Amino acid sequence: HRVPIEKAKRRVIQRQSRRKAFVRHSFNKDISNPIYYDLTINTGKMGIESAVEAVIAAGMAKAEDNS
């Protein structure tokens, strides 16, 4: 499916807006608040393999903290 870039951008913005509204309405939370995230990874800045390694390391560290 070829979608013009501007139309695709609008779709992404609309989807993000609906998702944010759903979470706000259903859970009274703001998904843009970083306090709700243990880890964020910008895969535009690192490769998938490095991202996977980071997730595994963070998960193992959190498991150790909880034991």
Side-chain angles (χ1 to χ4, degrees):
H1 295 49
R2 292 201 179 265
V3 177
I5 191 74
E6 290 306 315
K7 186 173 184 178
K9 286 180 183 180
R10 282 193 307 274
R11 284 183 183 177
V12 168
I13 291 167
Q14 289 171 342
R15 182 169 290 158
Q16 288 172 331
S17 178
R18 286 193 309 267
R19 182 176 294 129
K20 186 173 186 174
F22 169 78
V23 172
R24 168 77 66 202
H25 176 76
S26 299
F27 306 106
N28 196 31
K29 302 293 181 192
D30 179 3
I31 64 173
S32 61
N33 187 337
I35 197 165
Y36 299 122
Y37 301 93
D38 292 325
L39 178 69
T40 58
I41 297 176
N42 183 345
T43 55
K45 300 287 184 183
M46 68 181 349
I48 296 299
E49 288 184 25
S50 295
V52 169
E53 290 173 10
V55 170
I56 291 169
M60 292 174 71
K62 186 162 180 107
E64 287 178 13
D65 289 346
N66 291 334
S67 59

